[in-house]
Amino acid sequence: MTPGLLTSIQNALDDPLWDASVSGVKNVVSNAIRALDSTVEIEDTKYFSHSFVPDFVLSWPKSSAGRTRDVFLRVVLDATTVRYDLDTVGGTHPILLGLEALTDELEPAGPEVAESKFHDVLLTDPLALACLGDGVLSEFGTVIPSAVIRSGEGRLGEDSSARLVQSADRVFTAAKEHVPQPIVDSQPTIEEFIGEREVGRLFNLARIVWEATGGDPMAFPLATSLDDLDVEALRYLLDSGPTARLDFWRSVGKSVTADLLLGVGLDRAANLDVLVATNLDRLAFRHLAMLPGRLDLDRGTRWRIDPDNSLILQGAGFEAVLATHKESLPAPRLKLERLAPDEFVRRVDGKRFSSVTFVDQAANTVTTENAAALHVGDGGVMQLLSAESGARVLGVGLDVAGGKRLECRFEDGTASGKTASTFSVQEFLTVAIPVLVKLSESDDQLIEQITADFATVATGPPGGEYQPQLLLQLNDFG
Amino acid sequence: MASTIARVTNHARVADRPPTGEEIQDKGTDGVQRAKHWLDATCRAEVLWYQPRNHVKKLQFMKMGAPAASVARDDYFSFDLGGLLAGGDDHGQHFAGEVKNYSTEGGQGPQYRQFLANAYCTEMRTAATHFDHYMWITWYPFLIEQWAELLTPNYVATALTATEKFRYTALGSADVDPAVVADLAPKLMVVVLGDRQEKVLRLQGDELTGVQQALVAIRKKR
C-alpha cells in the first residue's frame, strides 16, 4: 500500500495559489478514480469541498443502469462533518472522500452516526483508494475497485480496504479452483462494503469463472445469473474462457450486444472468433464499410475489435468493418466502381431489392423505387438499365427479413439501413458483402464456411453435440 | 483522610469550571464549520479553506512588525476561513473571515480590533489585491454601544493604534495610511448568526436537490 495518493493530494493542497491548489487536488483525485474504474465518466462541477454541491458527478454511460454518483471532497472529515453530510446529502448515495486519512474518531462514530445512516453512502480516504488501486493489475484486480466506486458503502479506511481486496482475491481463486467454502466465507466482508447490485455482479463473475474453468455450475455455492454479463466478465471470457465449448458460447451470446462486445477494449482475444461464430444472428450493427485486405496483419484470427469501436472481419482480399455508429467507420479506401448493369445483375441474382440508383448516359442520377420488392427477373428494372447503354449503378436497396432495407453504395463500399435499423452479422455477410464487392473464390468460400458453421451451431441440439469438423473449421485460421 | 477531603472540597464543581483549552478549540472548530455551511448555503459565498487543519497557510500572513523571514509563530496570524463569491459582477472575489462561536460577548471587542489590524496588515502585504471582503462572523453581538461605528474608517484607524500588539500587527514602525483605511473599511462586514436560524432557515429536501443541480448547470456554462 503506497502513500502516493495521499502525498500527492497534500502536495496540491500545499500550493499557495488558490486556483492551482484546487485544480491540483481535483486532477489527482479524478485520475485516481479513473484508475480504479476505467468505465466511469467524471464531470468536474467546478465546486470545491462545498457543503452540498458535489465536486464530481460520476456516471457510467455504457451501463444500462443509468446511475450517477456524487463525490464530495472533504478537507476536514470528522464526526461533526460526517453527521452534517449524512443529514444534508446522504440521500444521494454519495462518496465522501476525505483528503486526509480517516481518524479513529470516526470509528466508532457517535450515536448520531449510526451504521444504518451509511447505507449507500461511502466514507473513505486516499489510503483506502490507494490500497484498492494496488491490486488493479492482477487478474481480477479491477472488479473490487470499480464495485467500490459504483456502489461502495460504509466507512472504508485503509485496513478495511485491504480486507476487502483480500476477500475478493479469495473468491476468484476459489472460483478457479472450484472450492466453494472460501467464496461463502468472503461473502460477509464483500457485502459489508459493497452495495447489493454490485455484490450480485461480482459473484456472478465468480460463477462465470467457475463454470468457464470447467466447474460444475450447479456446485457454485451462491445463487447467481448469467443475465448480468458485463464488460469485465466478457473480457475475462474472451481471454480465458473454454474455446471448444460451443454451447457455452451460444449461451453466453444471449447476453452480448454489439456495444458490450465493442466496449471490451480487446484488439484480439482467444475466443472472439468462437463468440462471433456462434452468435452471428444476435450481434447487430447499423453500418458496414468494405476495405481492401491488409497483407501486414497477423492471420491468427478472423475477427478483431478495432479501437475505433468496430468489429472487423478479415478476408483474403477485404476487411469488413461493422459499426453501430457511423463515426466509427474508417474513411473509404476501396477503389470501387459504379457497376455495369451485367455485373449488377450477377451480384444481386437471387436477392430482392426495392430500389436501384444509377447514373444515366446524360450523367443524371436516377433512383427507382418500387412498392414491391424486385429481383433481377423483373423485366422492368433491367429494361430501365439496359435501355441506357452507358448506365452505371451507384447503389441498391436490398430487402432483408422483417421488412428492413439495407442500402448498399458501390462507390464507397458502404451499407446501412434506410432508417435506424440494425442488421445482424449474418445479414451483412450473406446479403450485403457479396453485393458490395466482387469476392475472390477463397473469400466466397470463407463466407460460406462461416454461415454454414453457424447454421450447425444454431440448429444443434442443446448440450452441444456438434459435428467434430465444426471445431476444426473454427480453429482453422489459415 | 481529612486533608484529602479538604483538597477535594476546595475544587469547583465540574460543571462550574471554565472550559479547557481543548473544549475551546473544539467549539471554535465547530463554529468555523457551521459558518462554512451557512455561507455555502447562501449560494453566494463558497468557503474553500478553513481551520483547523485545512492548509491554513493560504490564510496566513506575517505581521507588519515582524522581522523579514521570521519563523516565530507569534509573528504570524491567520484567518479562520477564506473563499470566493459566486455570481454577478463580483464573481470570483476573495473573502476572508474570522469566526467567533460565542454564547456571550466574551471579549470580542479586543478580538475584533485585532481582526481589523489583521485585515489592515493583509491589505499592506498583498497591496490590497487579494481579499475584497473581510467578514467577522459571530453568534453574539458585541460592542453594542459602538455597533454603528464598527465598520467605519475612523473606528478602523483608532483600532490599529489602540495597543502595541495591534500596532505591531498592522503597522510595525509605519504610520496609519488613511488611503489604506479608506479602502479597507468598505470591505468589512459583521455577520451575526443564530442557532435556530442555522437549522430552520437551511434548504432541505427537494429544494436543496434542485438548487444543487441548478448550481452545477450554471457553473458548467461559465
Side-chain angles (χ1 to χ4, degrees), chain B residues 2-207:
Chain B
S3 60
T4 303
I5 292 172
R7 280 202 298 276
V8 167
T9 55
N10 280 337
H11 291 173
R13 291 185 313 135
V14 170
D16 294 334
R17 294 180 193 167
T20 65
E22 191 171 310
E23 284 171 335
I24 292 173
Q25 188 171 350
D26 284 349
K27 194 165 161 60
T29 304
D30 182 60
V32 172
Q33 291 184 9
R34 288 166 61 185
K36 169 182 164 54
H37 294 147
W38 187 86
L39 286 169
D40 284 349
T42 64
C43 303
R44 172 73 168 143
E46 296 168 33
V47 175
L48 302 181
W49 317 110
Y50 53 102
Q51 296 274 5
R53 298 187 295 279
N54 189 0
H55 298 271
V56 296
K57 287 191 170 36
K58 289 181 182 57
L59 303 173
Q60 185 182 55
F61 298 90
M62 181 193 274
K63 294 176 183 175
M64 291 302 291
S70 167
V71 295
R73 195 172 168 181
D74 287 344
D75 278 338
Y76 291 83
F77 64 88
S78 58
F79 295 102
D80 284 334
L81 54 81
L84 305 171
L85 291 189
D89 292 339
D90 36 21
H91 178 83
Q93 285 186 351
H94 291 199
F95 63 83
E98 196 67 21
V99 181
K100 297 298 169 191
N101 181 15
Y102 287 3
S103 49
T104 65
E105 182 167 351
Q108 285 186 70
Q111 290 169 9
Y112 178 71
R113 288 190 283 276
Q114 178 68 59
F115 165 72
L116 294 178
N118 293 349
Y120 183 96
C121 171
T122 306
E123 293 289 280
M124 294 296 292
R125 288 283 186 203
T126 63
T129 58
H130 193 54
F131 290 115
D132 301 282
H133 309 277
Y134 295 90
M135 302 178 185
W136 177 267
I137 302 170
T138 179
W139 273 258
Y140 204 94
F142 60 100
L143 295 176
I144 294 298
E145 294 188 2
Q146 297 158 292
W147 188 257
E149 301 159 27
L150 293 180
L151 306 180
T152 63
N154 193 52
Y155 191 89
V156 173
T158 306
L160 301 181
T161 54
T163 68
E164 276 309 306
K165 185 180 168 197
F166 300 155
R167 181 183 282 282
Y168 184 84
T169 299
L171 304 169
S173 56
D175 292 328
V176 175
D177 186 336
V180 175
V181 170
D183 282 341
L184 171 59
K187 294 185 179 182
L188 300 171
M189 76 172 78
V190 173
V191 177
V192 182
L193 298 178
D195 294 355
R196 199 152 179 273
Q197 168 191 353
E198 291 168 76
K199 290 190 173 66
V200 174
L201 298 184
R202 193 173 101 186
L203 268 178
Q204 312 273 344
D206 289 344
E207 279 76 8

Side-chain angles (χ1 to χ4, degrees), chain A residues 51-248:
Chain A
S51 295
F52 58 83
V53 180
D55 290 76
F56 300 107
V57 178
L58 309 183
S59 61
W60 291 267
K62 290 190 178 178
S63 162
S64 58
R67 181 175 154 123
T68 63
R69 193 167 204 190
D70 294 341
V71 179
F72 292 85
L73 301 185
R74 292 292 179 248
V75 188
V76 173
L77 200 58
D78 55 22
T80 304
T81 307
V82 170
R83 275 194 291 271
Y84 179 88
D85 282 338
L86 289 175
D87 280 341
T88 309
V89 299
T92 65
H93 56 266
I95 296 175
L96 305 177
L97 173 57
L99 297 180
E100 54 186 26
L102 291 183
T103 62
D104 292 340
E105 177 192 21
L106 288 172
E107 301 202 62
E112 300 89 37
V113 190
E115 288 295 339
S116 60
K117 289 203 171 186
F118 282 100
H119 176 63
D120 227 7
V121 176
L122 176 67
L123 176 64
T124 189
D125 69 10
L127 294 178
L129 296 190
C131 183
L132 293 175
D134 284 345
V136 156
L137 294 180
S138 62
E139 186 177 20
F140 296 101
T142 59
V143 176
I144 276 291
S146 67
V148 167
I149 296 298
R150 291 177 199 215
S151 134
E153 58 186 28
R155 285 165 293 189
L156 190 72
E158 187 178 22
D159 290 343
S160 40
S161 179
R163 271 198 298 127
L164 184 58
V165 169
Q166 286 158 13
S167 293
D169 192 51
R170 279 196 286 273
V171 165
F172 288 103
T173 301
K176 286 195 295 185
E177 295 172 356
H178 317 131
V179 178
Q181 196 57 42
I183 296 173
V184 175
D185 291 343
S186 299
Q187 188 181 15
T189 300
I190 291 172
E191 289 181 342
E192 182 182 351
F193 294 110
I194 306 291
E196 199 177 314
R197 185 174 179 276
E198 290 298 317
V199 166
R201 185 170 153 259
L202 186 152
F203 285 113
N204 187 50
L205 175 58
R207 178 210 180 273
I208 288 171
V209 170
W210 176 291
E211 184 179 348
T213 51
D216 174 8
M218 301 307 294
F220 188 78
L222 304 175
T224 61
S225 164
L226 255 182
D227 291 340
D228 290 331
L229 191 70
D230 62 11
V231 168
E232 278 87 7
L234 183 57
R235 188 181 294 128
Y236 169 78
L237 290 176
L238 287 175
D239 262 343
S240 312
T243 303
R245 289 191 47 209
L246 305 181
D247 58 333
F248 177 81

